[in-house]
Amino acid sequence: MNETTPSTSPLVAQLTDTAALKAMLLSVRPSPIQFDWGTDNLVLWIDDLSIAGTLLDQMREVISRVGFAIELETGWDHRTDEAMYHPLYGYRILLRDANGLWHGVRVTPSGEFVDTLPLEEINYEIAYDKVMWID
């Protein structure tokens, strides 16, 4: 009897990698929105990578995508558990526009975009301190 190990398709092998799965899910809906984001678990920063600098006009979608990505990373869905807060709850959010200026971003406790507040700052550390005082 000849035993061989079953081969997995490249797609299945790729889906076992969490980062690849997250990237694939976030790219299901192609969009001209171009941004990068990260967090230190206190402040969440978003960086506008678009050439035209149009991310400010698309913040509702950006906030939605970042919240979804955090859910993927943490493994829970705030919509199915009423006792859970939105993934963005508690974060202070900074947005760097295409010109390099930082803005504070306000969201509701349910994770809906409210508005931005120009911090008129290029230095990240100073913008970080300023965003701590935004309600």
Side-chain angles (χ1 to χ4, degrees):
M1 177 177 256
N2 185 5
E3 292 185 27
T4 59
T5 58
S7 64
T8 58
S9 71
L11 180 60
V12 172
Q14 186 181 32
L15 292 181
T16 60
D17 178 19
T18 306
L21 175 62
K22 183 170 51 171
M24 186 183 81
L25 288 173
L26 290 177
S27 64
V28 169
R29 296 180 299 165
S31 169
I33 298 176
Q34 297 176 344
F35 66 95
D36 191 13
W37 68 277
T39 181
D40 65 358
N41 293 324
L42 187 59
V43 171
L44 184 135
W45 57 266
I46 301 170
D47 197 3
D48 185 352
L49 301 177
S50 66
I51 295 170
T54 58
L55 198 62
L56 280 170
D57 299 332
Q58 301 168 325
M59 284 306 295
R60 290 192 197 299
E61 180 68 17
V62 169
I63 293 298
S64 174
R65 288 184 184 195
V66 171
F68 180 65
I70 291 172
E71 285 185 341
L72 287 176
E73 286 182 355
T74 59
W76 55 267
D77 185 351
H78 76 280
R79 295 166 294 188
T80 60
D81 187 350
E82 292 180 16
M84 292 284 198
Y85 289 108
H86 190 274
L88 296 176
Y89 180 79
Y91 280 106
R92 301 297 185 182
I93 304 174
L94 281 171
L95 166 70
R96 183 168 58 181
D97 65 20
N99 296 321
L101 293 173
W102 290 100
H103 302 260
V105 178
R106 294 184 199 165
V107 295
T108 65
S110 61
E112 296 173 19
F113 172 72
V114 176
D115 64 1
T116 61
L117 177 69
L119 300 177
E120 300 179 359
E121 189 56 57
I122 292 177
N123 185 305
Y124 174 76
E125 287 80 16
I126 295 172
Y128 188 102
D129 290 338
K130 286 183 176 182
V131 79
M132 292 300 184
W133 296 100
I134 295 176
D135 286 333

